[in-house]
Amino acid sequence: MKSTTVRRTALSIAVVAALTSVAACGSSSGSGKSDKAAGGTTIHISPIAAVLRTAEQSTDKAESAKVRSTMAIGDVMSMSGNGVMRWGNGLTGSLTITYTGGKIAEAMHRVGAAPSLQARYLPDAYYANLGGASAERLGGKHWIKYSYDLLAQVSGASGSYVKDQIRTATPNQSVKLLLASGDVKKVGEETVAGVHTRHYSGTVNIADLAGKNSNIRADQLAALKKQLDQAGITTETVDIWLNDQNLLVKKVEKGATAKGEMTNTAYYSDYGVPVTTEAPPAADTLDFAKLMKSSGGLPSGTATGSSTSTGSGISTTS
């Protein structure tokens, strides 16, 4: 197996795994303290918006939760994630990510990686254990470390955006998306996972929100919007379910991309659960920067991800 194939697959997996955490937990899009205009004048909001604002704040204050998620993007990938995440001072936590189909799963099979991987998220980097025979091609090491700075560097503007979003991620992004959209309605009341919930739905313009809610530089934002256009991402529908404590129980986000239809679903439970995440042993970890350096670096365009809070356009080569 050529080392370039391993590197390319490793980067593709890196981008998707990073997006998985963002998709599962969403991303912070402001302080939530927008009830007053800059001049101090109170802004009157609708009853639905008031409910969403309360849900945004309640979920943010909970600080951690168990997460179950699924994501599919055309024929690029389908996957599921299961684990615990903590947000606030940088995203931390761990997920078991299983690739169930698409080109990403095929690429993993070609390099001997197991279909499921363990991912650990820390404020400055995340770690992926590809398992299987892939360790034989990584000097016997099971974990790859991907710093968010490096991911931003090799993935272009989308990497910068993902890094920004991961570092400020919370699961109430879907609530904030609906608040920002101005197009939301109450669908009804339903039981989800045995819990009584209120169901809300709306439509969101992705490119506009990226500009309003990201902390990246203007030049990075311009490049990101270009990639969003290339990925064919324009709008997405967002559905959320809130329990009686105004905590997010479920979200479903759907949209079209150049790679095919994107669907992301996540369930949240056990808010406030303890989350302790540590970096894997250094002796069993390979820094992706060293993997790139030892084999001459990655060719440009090897693997790219264009990400919103949930959607991506990802290309893989082999």
Side-chain angles (χ1 to χ4, degrees):
M1 181 69 65
K2 294 182 179 180
S3 61
T4 53
T5 300
V6 176
R7 298 198 315 275
R8 290 171 177 177
T9 303
L11 180 55
S12 297
I13 293 170
V15 174
V16 176
L19 294 176
T20 299
S21 72
V22 178
C25 282
S27 54
S28 178
S29 58
S31 65
K33 299 177 181 179
S34 55
D35 289 339
K36 292 187 178 181
T41 303
T42 300
I43 298 175
H44 298 285
I45 60 178
S46 69
I48 288 181
V51 170
L52 296 180
R53 189 66 56 81
T54 300
E56 173 198 349
Q57 295 169 350
S58 297
T59 302
D60 188 52
K61 291 177 181 178
E63 295 190 348
S64 66
K66 292 182 179 179
V67 181
R68 292 185 294 116
S69 65
T70 59
M71 177 188 280
I73 303 175
D75 65 352
V76 174
M77 70 157 186
S78 59
M79 53 69 60
S80 64
N82 188 17
V84 294
M85 304 300 289
R86 181 178 177 85
W87 52 92
N89 296 322
L91 187 70
T92 59
S94 59
L95 291 175
T96 299
I97 301 172
T98 301
Y99 297 91
T100 54
K103 295 178 180 177
I104 293 294
E106 294 171 3
M108 293 179 70
H109 177 72
R110 286 195 295 271
V111 300
S116 293
L117 65 86
Q118 300 296 316
R120 298 182 187 179
Y121 298 87
L122 294 171
D124 62 340
Y126 81 92
Y127 300 78
N129 185 335
L130 305 185
S134 60
E136 297 177 6
R137 301 183 178 91
L138 299 174
K141 299 181 186 296
H142 294 84
W143 292 88
I144 300 179
K145 175 185 177 180
Y146 301 93
S147 76
Y148 297 133
D149 288 337
L150 177 64
L151 186 61
Q153 177 184 345
V154 299
S155 299
S158 60
S160 299
Y161 184 74
V162 170
K163 182 184 75 171
D164 175 63
Q165 300 302 309
I166 289 176
R167 286 178 168 174
T168 56
T170 63
N172 61 5
Q173 170 68 358
S174 297
V175 181
K176 295 181 179 183
L177 288 173
L178 289 180
L179 276 169
S181 73
D183 176 25
V184 58
K185 63 182 178 180
K186 182 178 180 180
V187 178
E189 300 189 8
E190 304 169 17
T191 299
V192 176
V195 177
H196 173 262
T197 67
R198 291 156 290 157
H199 179 188
Y200 298 89
S201 181
T203 302
V204 181
N205 185 300
I206 298 301
D208 285 350
L209 288 177
K212 294 176 182 177
N213 301 316
S214 178
N215 294 317
I216 62 177
R217 300 191 311 266
D219 59 332
Q220 294 173 326
L221 178 59
L224 171 63
K225 287 185 175 181
K226 180 179 179 180
Q227 288 191 350
L228 287 170
D229 289 339
Q230 292 172 339
I233 300 173
T234 55
T235 61
E236 71 176 24
T237 60
V238 180
D239 287 79
I240 64 170
W241 288 258
L242 306 176
N243 66 15
D244 294 337
Q245 288 74 47
N246 290 311
L247 293 170
L248 191 63
V249 174
K250 177 184 176 182
K251 73 168 182 180
V252 177
E253 302 184 26
K254 297 181 179 180
T257 79
K259 299 296 181 181
E261 192 72 18
M262 178 277 297
T263 302
N264 169 42
T265 301
Y267 294 86
Y268 307 95
S269 64
D270 297 270
Y271 279 95
V273 62
V275 177
T276 302
T277 305
E278 297 180 351
D284 197 25
T285 302
L286 174 66
D287 194 313
F288 187 64
K290 293 183 178 180
L291 178 61
M292 291 178 62
K293 184 177 180 180
S294 66
S295 48
L298 278 165
S300 61
T302 296
T304 61
S306 299
S307 170
T308 64
S309 64
T310 56
S312 64
I314 300 168
S315 64
T316 61
T317 56
S318 58

